[in-house]
Amino acid sequence: MRQATDDILAPQRQAERARITESLARFQPTRIAVETSPKDDAKLVEAFQAWKHQERGLRTSEVEQLGFRLAAQQGVPGVQGIDWMGMPPWRPQGP
């Protein structure tokens, strides 16, 4: 059985994305980290710049729908990939 999916690019869904971005902007971020491999940062920068210059539209990923919008709204030069699966284990600091 196929599960029905709604269109992330539909006006209602885009309005939801805009509200989420506005909520995140209240934190006044100076850097935007997205869950993708840091080795793809050059591709992210290229895609972000192309979107900012209206050379392409936003794709359906969270990275673009939320990360690109938030970076543009906050005047941040782009987004950076962080890959929590590739990070070393977290160790608490202290005694």
Side-chain angles (χ1 to χ4, degrees), residues 6 10-11 21 27 29 33 39 49 58 69 72 80 83:
D6 60 345
T21 304
F27 291 98
K39 68 182 176 189
Q49 291 301 321
L58 288 176
R69 287 178 192 216
Q80 292 178 282
D83 182 9

Side-chain angles (χ1 to χ4, degrees), residues 25-69:
R26 290 186 192 125
F27 291 98
Q28 299 179 334
T30 56
R31 296 174 94 179
I32 310 297
V34 294
E35 190 174 346
T36 188
S37 176
K39 68 182 176 189
D40 294 331
D41 278 356
K43 291 178 189 173
L44 282 175
V45 168
E46 183 179 323
F48 179 71
Q49 291 301 321
W51 172 69
K52 273 187 65 175
H53 293 102
Q54 300 179 350
E55 296 168 1
R56 70 189 276 288
L58 288 176
R59 304 244 165 90
T60 59
S61 72
E62 295 172 340
V63 169
E64 294 193 19
Q65 289 287 317
L66 299 175
F68 283 15
R69 287 178 192 216

Side-chain angles (χ1 to χ4, degrees), residues 2-15:
R2 260 188 137 167
Q3 183 176 353
T5 59
D6 60 345
D7 182 6
I8 197 76
L9 300 175
Q12 176 184 350
R13 299 291 277 165
Q14 289 296 295

